[in-house]
Every structure is written in structure tokens, then in C-alpha cells.
């Protein structure tokens, strides 16, 4: 069964305390991406990766880092979280080639106090 | 740059009534268009997609959407709402750029009254 697994699903943290949200996919896909969802704004892309060691910024990359050392994993790193990064985060990978359709993980709800 | 506008952040209908969720997009090239649904505390699930084939697209759970190029619209409809349709709905557009990015609208929360 195709899966995109994110951890943690819920996290409350404090300003400045580094955290990592992990994402793992079992579809052997080259492309992975991260989105954040905020009320009234829909989902916005943070970073994406076309393949191992290849990453690029999306629309809202400030305050985030990513790494892609293995094809299946694409962690999202918040080096110094701030309250404006309180959001719902989704990892995604494409369904098929050149369809534009994305398969999403179940989301990680992050609260930064 | 592409953009997506969903008219109405909240829509309320009675059970059995027509559901109409509006979506307008701007795109410099023929787009791929999507509707995703998000049930409470869940991820996003694809409802339907338009990929330049038939302009009337049928999706899951009785939903359909019509691509109207002249109006740059892709409105989502369902003839008869069910309580289980209560969720947030997102319209999205893709131009199949290198980043394979989907641009989302702000979302519409559908409430269904008994």
C-alpha cells in the first residue's frame, strides 16, 4: 500500500527549540515536497526535492531547512521555530508521472509557543 | 504566476440540497486542475482532476466539476448533499513546472445541516 508517513503528527514546542518533522515514502519516488496549511491561505509549498541531494525553495521557505540524503526520506527542519510557524504541515509525493496530482501524508500539526 | 480563488470560505447547505463550491484560476498555460477534500483531522484526498480531456469531470462520492476556459473556472458540484460531505475543500492548479508545484486556493469549509 502506498504510504507517506509523517512524524510527529502533533507537537507543541517553544520558540527557538530546534525540531525536525520526518517524512518517509514507500513508493520509490524521486520527487517529494513539503507544504504548510494555514486558515484562509490553503496550502503553500515550502521546499521540494527532485531527487537525492537535489532540493529547492518553494513559495515560503523562510525559517525552514530540508535535506534529502535518501530517496525515501525528506525531513523538514526548523532550526529556531517561531510562533508564526505554527501550522499544519504536509509532505507529498506525485501520483504517477506528469499528472500534477500529489499524494499527501496525514499531516503534522505544529504549535510553537 | 498562477493563482486560485475560492469564493466563500464557508458554505452551508441543507442535507439533500445542491452543493456548489466555486473556483477560479489564473494560469498562463493550459492547466491541470484539481479538487481535494480534507475531512477533520485527516490529510488531503483527491476528489477529481481535469487534465485536458473531457471538460466535465466526475469524481468520487458523487462530485463533479466543469472546466470552463472562457470563465477560467472549475466549480465543484454535487446534486444532493449528504452529512458525510461536511469537510474542507481545496481547489488547486498545476502547470507541471519543474517543481511540480500545486497552487491551492484558500479552501472552502462545507457545512451540511440536517
Amino acid at each position: 500500500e502506498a504510504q507517506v508517513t509523517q512524524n510527529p503528527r502533533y507537537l507543541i514546542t517553544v520558540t527557538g527549540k530546534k525540531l525536525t518533522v520526518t517524512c518517509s515514502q514507500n513508493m520509490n519516488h524521486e520527487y517529494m515536497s513539503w507544504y504548510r496549511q494555514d486558515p484562509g491561505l490553503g496550502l503553500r509549498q515550502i521546499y521540494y526535492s527532485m531527487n537525492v541531494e537535489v532540493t529547492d525553495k518553494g513559495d515560503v521557505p523562510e525559517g525552514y531547512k530540508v535535506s534529502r540524503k535518501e530517496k525515501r526520506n525528506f525531513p523538514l527542519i526548523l532550526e529556531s521555530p517561531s510562533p508564526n510557524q505554527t501550522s499544519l504541515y504536509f509532505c507529498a509525493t506525485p501520483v504517477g508521472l506528469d499528472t500534477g496530482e500529489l499524494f499527501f501524508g496525514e499531516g503534522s500539526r505544529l504549535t510553537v509557543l | 504566476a498562477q493563482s486560485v480563488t475560492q469564493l466563500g470560505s464557508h458554505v452551508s447547505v441543507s442535507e439533500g440540497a445542491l452543493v456548489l463550491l466555486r473556483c477560479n484560476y489564473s494560469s498562463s498555460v493550459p492547466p491541470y486542475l484539481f479538487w481535494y477534500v480534507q475531512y477533520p483531522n485527516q490529510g488531503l484526498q483527491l476528489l477529481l482532476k481535469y487534465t485536458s480531456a473531457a471538460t466535465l469531470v466526475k469524481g468520487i462520492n458523487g462530485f463533479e466539476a466543469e472546466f470552463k476556459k472562457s470563465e477560467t473556472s472549475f466549480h465543484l458540484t454535487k446534486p444532493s448533499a449528504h452529512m458525510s460531505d461536511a469537510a474542507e475543500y481545496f481547489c488547486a492548479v498545476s502547470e507541471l513546472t519543474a517543481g511540480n508545484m500545486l497552487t491551492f486556493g484558500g479552501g472552502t469549509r462545507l457545512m451540511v445541516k440536517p
Side-chain angles (χ1 to χ4, degrees):
Chain A
E1 178 188 355
Q3 283 188 327
V4 176
T5 304
Q6 297 179 222
N7 280 294
R9 293 287 315 280
Y10 301 91
L11 179 64
I12 299 174
T13 189
V14 295
T15 299
K17 186 176 182 181
K18 180 179 178 181
L19 67 92
T20 299
V21 185
T22 64
C23 174
S24 180
Q25 51 101 358
N26 65 356
M27 293 166 270
N28 200 37
H29 285 175
E30 294 180 344
Y31 177 93
M32 298 181 73
S33 62
W34 276 102
Y35 286 78
R36 61 177 288 174
Q37 180 184 347
D38 301 290
L41 298 177
L43 282 78
R44 294 174 292 166
Q45 191 183 53
I46 304 171
Y47 268 95
Y48 65 92
S49 170
M50 299 293 285
N51 210 331
V52 174
E53 304 292 357
V54 180
T55 64
D56 207 347
K57 297 176 180 179
D59 271 352
V60 288
E62 297 76 19
Y64 304 95
K65 287 177 55 178
V66 293
S67 70
R68 188 86 182 276
K69 299 190 187 320
E70 312 166 86
K71 186 182 277 192
R72 66 182 290 122
N73 296 322
F74 189 42
L76 179 69
I77 303 158
L78 286 73
E79 293 270 3
S80 183
S82 62
N84 65 13
Q85 293 178 295
T86 292
S87 188
L88 180 58
Y89 292 87
F90 287 100
C91 182
T93 192
V95 176
L97 295 175
D98 296 333
T99 65
E101 178 185 347
L102 292 179
F103 182 84
F104 289 88
E106 293 200 331
S108 296
R109 185 168 294 280
L110 172 65
T111 300
V112 183
L113 302 176
Chain B
Q2 52 194 338
S3 66
V4 179
T5 302
Q6 292 183 238
L7 290 177
S9 58
H10 292 79
V11 170
S12 181
V13 301
S14 298
E15 193 171 21
L18 171 71
V19 175
L20 171 61
L21 305 183
R22 299 178 187 273
C23 172
N24 289 88
Y25 70 92
S26 69
S27 174
S28 57
V29 300
Y32 285 12
L33 293 159
F34 306 84
W35 277 98
Y36 283 86
V37 60
Q38 184 179 36
Y39 298 104
N41 299 315
Q42 294 187 26
L44 277 80
Q45 177 183 359
L46 182 71
L47 261 184
L48 49 81
K49 62 182 177 183
Y50 167 78
T51 57
S52 73
T55 57
L56 182 63
V57 181
K58 293 187 184 301
I60 61 172
N61 301 336
F63 284 92
E64 62 182 35
E66 186 173 9
F67 171 65
K68 292 187 176 181
K69 184 178 179 181
S70 61
E71 298 177 8
T72 61
S73 69
F74 191 56
H75 301 332
L76 181 71
T77 60
K78 182 175 180 177
S80 177
H82 192 272
M83 296 297 290
S84 61
D85 294 327
E88 187 153 24
Y89 292 80
F90 294 94
C91 182
V93 61
S94 174
E95 293 182 355
L96 295 184
T97 61
N100 199 30
M101 185 173 66
L102 284 178
T103 299
F104 284 84
T108 298
R109 184 166 298 279
L110 176 66
M111 294 166 284
V112 182
K113 299 175 292 187

